[in-house]
């Protein structure tokens, strides 16, 4: 039996959460009061408050985790999402297995980011720091209000249940353990640029001074969001057992919208940094990206997606969320509209054929993409709420609309990195584009000849991949050659390494583009060349799919941890590997789940699941998904490229400026 | 449950190895089911859902295919019963028109404004940018830590 101290530790956490709420209020108010009372020193309170809120929120979070680990089912939330039989790993992760805990994790991460901002800004921008923290403080107040008054994970239940209702079996997967924190690190990460932007608008902060900071924070947030989305797709692929990884589900779209706008932002912010343009537009993008992050959190967490009526089932929570969104949006855009152009002077464009104008087109494409996903996700909800008419907007719609937009983005990716700032020499550009264009065209034609029946997007996408990859390769080779001409004594390998190291930001970005291309290859391969078979089989039968001969060996049953499993075994008669898909039954939740078994090679995955038995035969579904591994590989490449690009300043601090050779230009 | 399964395995084992082929009807059925929404699920096509309703719908599609009905007839059968809600691809009608018209319209609006923006910026006379104070300039350099960019920009 638990000691009473251990049992009631949760109350300490509950108290800490209330204190955090109060201190966050102080954090939000301090700079306001300092301004009103003309007591600048008062503003610094928000710095200490930010640290205190983080400590208190951490205390609250740790008591929640403690309640999960000790299976303290007197806590309602623990009783709802955990079970004494649950493996320890998942007990901890069950913290974000439901609404209440997810929101708590959100605000916990927000306080964590705030502390990072304190650490980052104390010396770099001390006079603006309190305002930035105040903006984040108000966000915390909003979230803590929702958590404490409407969605409280600390609530107790009496009588204490004998055991918990268990974590949703679908969430009992390593992918699902890391996916939500990554996603939230991304969502919440965008609150930092947002707080910077609001502080800049409120205090007429010269954009030269904050643009570099916003860029780095936005890149970090973008990296986490990208990781979160790819992990989500990975989880969907491995755990949900439907052979795919992206379904244009509203929950997925919710994370994809801020990603699209965030992608527009991290590109267009460079224009402001280098060319002092698009100042107001970037502020707009920062606010919109964060607003979409909030929308994403709330869409998933309010239950509005399953049905508009679910919103009304818990009217308090729904109304609060709606009100909070309206408040954040109207205050942010109100301030933006009033002061967005506080920094009027901007530079002009020298030529339409310049990097800056291509960045503008990039923004057109990504804003369009974001708007279309938003429309497709919210339109059915709005239509149902307004006219009671119900329609579905599913994958066929999104594929039809989004694929052409992606192709447009790829076209820009192949040209824009070659175009210099200010003004490009059209002849030179044409010459540099010639080889990549030939490569792209050749690949597209080849594709079309080999697979004439393919939908038009297939050859076009493959051609564009060839075009972009050709551009990346030729551009790099040209840079290395140029370096070798200038420094002939350097060996070829050293020249390559140094070319990259001397322009880390650029090549980091190009590595990210390369990763995107790998993902594009994976999407084309698995999207257009997927094979599937759905058959009834008895042990001993053989299934042939895509040249692969699979023998159904046997079915066995066993019990593990907290579930019962029926496991089938297949052997490939070609290469000898075995597949062992399972059906699991988790007695507490009574929900059967299918565990796919996947044999992966770089070129293709063989993906098997079993469904229900019928008259001595089992329903078997087998998919052959070509090139899926390229998607996960691309994700890793993107993150490495981003990390490489971001490590730029760290390297510079280590190396003394005197060692940078003057011959670089 | 366990006993039944065990017996099942015993019973099934001696069957001689036979290659199973997919019933073309099944493929047709899944094709049609992939276009329809499982009405009780969250955003799942009938072909991928394990819900009872989806199973029933698959059975109905199978029956109707056996009865010689065409793909369009079967889809129309479900639309008649569930409305357009059952279609994963919204039709171009009163309710769905905005969905299909918006993307091209947005492209024109966004692209048009970008074009106008670039043109205006191209024609505008060069404006004086207020010079930063020496103190601010030093700050900018410190903040960016990348004076190098300006020194090393290649003349193109």
């Amino acid at each position: 039996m638990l000691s009473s101290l251990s049992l009631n530790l949760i109350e300490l956490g509950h108290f800490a959460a209330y204190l955090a709420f109060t201190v966050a209020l102080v954090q939000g108010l301090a700079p306001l009061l300092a301004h009103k009372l003309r007591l600048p020193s008062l503003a610094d309170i928000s710095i200490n408050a930010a640290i205190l809120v983080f400590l208190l929120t951490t205390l609250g979070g740790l008591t929640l985790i403690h309640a999960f680990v000790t299976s303290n089912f007197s806590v309602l939330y623990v009783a709802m999402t955990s079970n004494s039989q649950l493996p320890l790993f998942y007990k901890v992760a069950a913290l974000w297995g439901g609404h209440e805990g997810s929101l708590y994790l959100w605000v916990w991460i927000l306080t964590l980011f705030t502390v990072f901002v304190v650490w980052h800004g104390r010396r770099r921008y001390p006079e603006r720091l309190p305002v930035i923290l105040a903006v984040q403080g108000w966000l915390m107040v909003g979230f803590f209000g929702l958590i404490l008054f409407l969605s409280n994970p600390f609530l107790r239940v009496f009588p204490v249940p004998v055991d918990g209702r268990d974590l949703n079996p679908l969430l009992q997967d390593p992918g699902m353990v890391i996916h939500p924190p990554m996603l939230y690190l991304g969502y919440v990460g965008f609150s930092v640029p947002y707080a910077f932007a609001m502080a800049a608008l409120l205090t007429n902060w010269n954009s030269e001074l904050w643009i570099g900071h916003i860029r780095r924070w936005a890149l970090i947030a973008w990296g986490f969001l990208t990781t979160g989305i790819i992990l989500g797709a990975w989880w969907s692929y491995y755990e949900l057992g439907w052979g795919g990884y992206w379904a244009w589900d509203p929950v997925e779209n919710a994370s994809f919208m801020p990603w699209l706008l965030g992608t527009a932002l991290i590109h267009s912010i460079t224009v402001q940094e280098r060319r002092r343009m698009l100042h107001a537009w970037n502020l707009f993008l920062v606010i919109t990206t964060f607003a979409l992050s909030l929308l994403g959190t709330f869409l998933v967490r309010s239950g509005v997606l399953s049905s508009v009526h679910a919103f009304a089932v818990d009217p308090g929570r729904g109304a609060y969320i709606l009100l909070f969104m309206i408040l954040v949006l109207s205050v942010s855009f109100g301030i933006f509209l009033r002061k967005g152009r506080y920094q009027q002077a901007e530079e002009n464009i020298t030529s339409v054929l310049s990097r800056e104008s291509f960045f503008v087109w990039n923004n057109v494409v990504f804003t369009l993409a974001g708007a279309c996903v938003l429309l497709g996700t919210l339109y059915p909800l709005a239509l149902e709420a307004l006219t009671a008419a119900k329609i579905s907007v599913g994958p066929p719609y999104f594929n039809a609309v989004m694929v052409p937009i992606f192709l447009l983005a790829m076209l820009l990716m192949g040209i824009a990195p070659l175009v210099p700032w200010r003004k490009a020499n059209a002849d030179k550009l044409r010459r540099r584009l010639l080889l990549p264009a030939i490569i792209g065209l050749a690949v597209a034609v080849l594709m079309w000849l080999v697979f004439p029946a393919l939908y038009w997007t297939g050859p076009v996408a493959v051609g564009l991949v060839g075009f972009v990859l050709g551009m990346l390769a030729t551009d790099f080779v040209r840079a290395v050659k140029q370096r070798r001409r200038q420094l002939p004594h350097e060996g070829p390998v050293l020249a390559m390494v140094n070319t990259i190291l001397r322009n880390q930001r650029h090549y980091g970005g190009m590595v990210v583009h390369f990763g995107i291309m790998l993902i594009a290859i994976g999407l084309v391969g698995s999207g257009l060349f997927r094979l599937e078979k759905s058959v009834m089989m008895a042990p001993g039968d053989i299934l042939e799919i895509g040249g692969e001969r699979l023998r159904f060996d046997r079915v066995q049953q066993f019990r593990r941890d907290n579930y019962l499993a029926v496991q089938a075994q297949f052997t490939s008669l070609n290469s000898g590997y075995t597949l062992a898909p399972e059906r699991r039954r988790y007695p507490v939740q009574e929900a059967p789940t299918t565990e796919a078994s996947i044999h992966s090679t770089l070129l293709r995955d063989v993906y098997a699941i079993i469904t229900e038995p019928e008259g001595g035969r089992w329903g078997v579904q087998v998919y052959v998904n070509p090139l899926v591994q390229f998607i996960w590989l691309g994700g890793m490449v993107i993150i490495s490229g981003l990390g490489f690009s971001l490590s730029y300043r760290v390297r510079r601090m280590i190396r003394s400026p005197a060692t940078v050779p003057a011959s670089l230009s | 449950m366990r006993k039944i399964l065990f017996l099942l395995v015993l019973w099934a084992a001696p069957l001689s190895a036979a290659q199973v082929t997919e019933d073309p009807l099944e493929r047709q059925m899944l094709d049609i089911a992939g276009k329809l929404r499982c009405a009780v699920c969250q955003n799942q096509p009938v072909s991928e859902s394990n819900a009872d309703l989806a199973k029933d719908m698959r059975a109905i599609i199978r029956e109707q295919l056996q009865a010689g009905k065409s793909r369009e007839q079967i889809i129309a059968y479900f639309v008649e019963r569930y409305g357009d809600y059952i279609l994963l691809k919204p039709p171009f009608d009163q309710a769905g028109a905005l969905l299909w018209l918006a993307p091209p319209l947005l492209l024109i609006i966004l692209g048009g404004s970008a074009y106008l923006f670039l043109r205006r910026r191209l024609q505008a006379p060069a404006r004086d940018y207020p010079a930063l104070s020496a103190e601010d300039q030093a700050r900018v350099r410190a903040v960016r830590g990348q004076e190098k960019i300006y020194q090393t920009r290649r003349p193109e």
Side-chain angles (χ1 to χ4, degrees):
Chain A
M1 204 53 213
L2 289 156
S3 77
S4 113
L5 173 71
S6 172
L7 194 70
N8 290 316
L9 204 58
I10 192 77
E11 292 304 334
L12 178 67
H14 198 177
F15 181 64
Y18 271 98
L19 267 184
F21 172 65
T22 324
V23 180
L25 206 59
V26 173
Q27 182 182 337
L29 282 172
L32 278 176
L33 280 176
H35 183 69
K36 279 271 178 285
L37 303 176
R38 296 179 196 288
L39 279 173
S41 56
L42 212 58
D44 289 343
I45 291 176
S46 67
I47 297 175
N48 293 330
I51 297 169
L52 190 57
V53 173
F54 169 68
L55 293 176
L56 288 168
T57 313
T58 305
L59 181 62
L62 290 179
T63 60
L64 271 175
I65 290 176
H66 175 263
F68 273 106
V69 172
T70 58
S71 289
N72 181 355
F73 298 122
S74 75
V75 181
L76 181 62
Y77 181 64
V78 176
M80 296 294 283
T81 51
S82 185
N83 180 276
S84 51
Q85 299 300 305
L86 197 65
L88 182 70
F89 182 51
Y90 294 120
K91 275 186 183 165
V92 176
L95 173 62
W96 50 89
H99 289 240
E100 292 84 351
S102 296
L103 289 172
Y104 197 87
L105 180 69
W106 209 101
V107 82
W108 193 359
I109 292 176
L110 179 58
T111 62
L112 177 70
F113 267 105
T114 315
V115 170
F116 278 129
V117 172
V118 169
W119 168 73
H120 185 244
R122 277 204 101 148
R123 281 206 314 245
R124 291 183 178 88
Y125 36 89
E127 71 283 16
R128 296 301 200 288
L129 183 60
V131 188
I132 296 168
L133 296 179
V135 176
Q136 291 187 307
W138 285 113
L139 292 173
M140 289 174 197
V141 170
F143 268 88
F144 267 121
L146 177 61
I147 289 169
L148 291 173
F149 303 123
L150 294 161
S151 177
N152 193 334
F154 296 99
L155 293 185
R156 307 294 284 270
V157 59
F158 189 83
V160 176
V162 179
D163 208 340
R165 292 253 302 266
D166 207 358
L167 181 64
N168 182 343
L170 291 177
L171 304 183
Q172 296 184 30
D173 178 87
M176 207 51 193
V177 170
I178 350 172
H179 163 67
M182 282 295 156
L183 211 54
Y184 285 2
L185 280 166
Y187 284 161
V188 182
F190 280 116
S191 79
V192 182
Y194 168 78
F196 267 87
M198 296 318 288
L201 286 167
L202 289 168
T203 64
N204 292 342
W205 194 3
N206 193 327
S207 78
E208 304 284 309
L209 296 172
W210 51 255
I211 190 70
H213 298 314
I214 283 203
R215 178 178 164 275
R216 289 180 78 82
W217 284 109
L219 280 174
I220 292 168
W222 185 87
F224 281 124
L225 193 55
T226 309
T227 315
I229 291 174
I230 290 176
L231 277 175
W234 185 76
W235 167 76
S236 178
Y237 184 66
Y238 281 86
E239 179 67 22
L240 291 187
W242 58 290
Y245 40 81
W246 187 265
W248 293 107
D249 188 274
V251 177
E252 292 165 339
N253 294 346
S255 62
F256 197 43
M257 288 185 277
W259 187 87
L260 288 168
L261 267 288
T263 308
L265 172 68
I266 57 177
H267 286 92
S268 111
I269 218 160
T270 321
V271 181
Q272 188 183 340
E273 194 180 28
R274 298 282 177 92
R275 296 281 289 118
R276 296 172 179 165
M277 294 189 316
L278 303 179
H279 172 86
W281 171 247
N282 281 329
L283 289 173
F284 171 81
L285 278 182
V286 169
I287 296 172
T288 312
T289 306
F290 180 64
L292 288 172
S293 300
L294 272 187
L295 181 75
T297 312
F298 287 155
L299 271 182
V300 177
R301 288 288 143 225
S302 66
V304 68
L305 289 175
S306 48
S307 147
V308 177
H309 309 296
F311 210 63
V313 172
D314 190 351
R317 199 186 287 178
Y320 185 99
I321 287 173
L322 205 60
L323 209 70
F324 185 64
M325 275 301 291
I326 290 173
L327 205 66
V328 171
L329 285 178
S330 53
V331 169
S332 313
F333 283 109
I335 294 174
F336 171 71
L337 287 176
R338 230 177 98 77
K339 305 197 70 178
R341 289 179 170 272
Y342 71 91
Q343 194 159 353
Q344 271 290 337
E346 296 212 337
E347 282 186 27
N348 286 318
I349 280 174
T350 323
S351 160
V352 182
L353 211 55
S354 60
R355 181 77 64 86
E356 44 271 46
S357 86
F358 270 91
F359 273 129
V360 170
W361 294 114
N362 155 297
N363 275 239
V364 168
V365 169
F366 279 96
T367 315
L368 174 70
C372 290
V373 178
L374 183 69
L375 181 78
T377 311
L378 293 188
Y379 187 73
L381 299 176
L383 193 72
E384 192 186 347
L386 295 176
T387 67
K390 284 179 89 171
I391 62 164
S392 300
V393 181
Y397 171 81
F398 285 107
N399 286 335
V401 171
M402 298 304 289
V403 170
I405 299 179
F406 291 151
L407 294 178
L408 220 54
M410 283 165 75
L411 183 66
L412 287 177
M413 268 170 103
I415 305 172
L418 286 180
V419 183
W421 295 96
R422 286 166 200 274
K423 190 172 175 29
N425 177 331
D427 280 338
K428 209 177 196 176
L429 185 63
R430 212 170 293 136
R431 249 180 293 132
R432 290 183 170 185
L433 281 173
L434 188 64
L435 188 58
I438 291 173
I439 295 173
L441 214 62
V443 182
V445 168
L446 193 72
M447 188 78 180
W448 180 67
L449 288 176
V450 179
F451 305 100
L454 217 55
Y455 193 57
W456 68 269
T457 50
V460 174
V462 171
L464 284 170
V465 169
F467 177 55
V468 177
L469 290 180
M471 186 284 290
L472 290 174
T474 52
D475 189 43
F476 180 59
V477 169
R478 195 176 318 101
V480 174
K481 272 187 183 160
Q482 191 181 354
R483 188 181 170 86
R484 293 209 68 195
R485 259 200 305 281
Q486 287 171 348
L487 301 165
H489 60 275
E490 222 174 46
V493 178
L494 196 63
M496 274 195 241
V497 172
N498 279 334
T499 305
I500 296 175
L501 287 183
R502 292 287 185 260
N503 203 349
Q504 225 167 312
R505 257 180 75 168
H506 175 75
Y507 285 107
M510 291 306 103
V511 170
V512 173
H513 280 198
F514 177 64
I516 300 272
M517 283 306 112
L518 291 181
I519 291 182
I521 292 171
L523 294 180
V524 171
S526 57
L528 295 172
F529 294 96
R530 172 171 132 142
L531 301 171
E532 59 172 296
K533 271 193 176 166
S534 172
V535 292
M536 298 298 291
M537 290 175 96
D541 287 350
I542 293 171
L543 169 75
E544 194 174 324
I545 180 166
E548 205 74 44
R549 283 164 62 82
L550 294 174
R551 190 184 60 213
F552 187 9
D553 299 329
R554 61 171 178 274
V555 177
Q556 56 184 357
Q557 198 183 45
F558 56 86
R559 196 190 161 86
R560 194 189 289 154
D561 293 339
N562 52 347
Y563 61 84
L564 297 158
V566 178
Q567 191 184 54
Q569 188 181 310
F570 294 85
T571 307
S572 161
L573 298 180
N574 309 52
S575 32
Y577 62 82
T578 57
L579 292 171
E582 291 172 18
R583 279 178 72 74
R584 288 185 187 166
R585 206 167 58 80
Y586 291 76
V588 185
Q589 289 241 336
E590 267 309 328
T593 68
T594 46
E595 292 290 308
S597 176
I598 307 169
H599 176 76
S600 294
T601 56
L602 193 57
L603 287 182
R604 65 185 201 177
D605 283 9
V606 179
Y607 185 114
I609 53 173
I610 48 166
T611 57
E612 276 153 46
E614 195 185 302
R617 288 139 71 87
W618 290 78
V620 176
Q621 278 169 26
V622 182
Y623 303 88
V624 172
N625 292 324
L627 307 178
V628 169
Q629 296 302 316
F630 275 70
I631 299 175
W632 324 133
L633 198 67
M636 285 184 256
V637 170
I638 290 176
I639 298 308
S640 352
L642 186 69
F644 183 67
S645 181
L646 278 172
S647 63
Y648 171 73
R649 193 179 294 176
V650 181
R651 295 186 65 88
R652 258 192 65 84
M653 269 151 61
I654 294 165
R655 203 189 303 131
S656 94
T659 60
V660 176
S663 60
L664 209 89
S665 51
Chain B
M1 176 76 180
R2 187 181 290 199
K3 265 183 196 156
I4 298 173
L5 275 170
F6 185 60
L7 286 175
L8 247 169
V9 173
L10 279 185
W11 175 79
L15 280 182
S16 61
Q19 181 158 327
V20 288
T21 47
E22 196 181 49
D23 187 355
L25 191 80
E26 191 72 6
R27 178 56 36 212
Q28 263 179 300
M29 184 278 287
L30 286 175
D31 243 23
I32 297 171
K35 304 259 181 279
L36 302 175
R37 178 192 184 123
C38 161
V40 295
C41 319
Q42 244 189 69
N43 205 52
Q44 238 184 347
V46 169
S47 55
E48 282 158 17
S49 171
N50 284 323
D52 288 337
L53 178 76
K55 283 178 204 158
D56 293 345
M57 283 173 73
R58 286 198 290 263
I60 293 173
I61 300 173
R62 217 175 275 130
E63 265 169 39
Q64 298 205 344
L65 279 171
Q66 275 160 349
K69 288 211 184 156
S70 76
R71 181 194 174 94
E72 287 73 27
Q73 279 172 319
I74 297 173
I75 290 177
Y77 170 87
F78 284 107
V79 171
E80 200 182 300
R81 272 155 190 77
Y82 292 93
D84 287 342
Y85 179 65
I86 206 77
L87 299 171
L88 280 173
K89 189 174 184 168
F92 190 93
D93 59 12
Q94 220 182 344
L98 182 66
L99 270 175
W100 290 105
L101 291 178
L105 275 178
L106 277 169
L107 177 64
I108 293 168
I109 293 169
L110 284 168
S113 13
Y115 174 76
L116 290 178
F117 165 80
L118 289 173
R119 217 182 55 168
R120 206 186 61 215
R121 275 301 159 79
L122 206 56
Q123 289 166 345
R127 266 182 291 194
D128 280 340
Y129 197 81
L132 292 175
S133 65
E135 186 196 351
D136 274 355
Q137 270 175 359
R139 264 210 196 119
V140 169
R141 265 197 301 272
V143 163
R144 291 184 167 183
Q146 52 195 19
E147 317 88 290
K148 210 175 71 181
I149 292 163
Y150 293 104
Q151 292 160 12
T152 62
R153 186 186 289 122
R154 274 176 238 169
E156 292 262 20

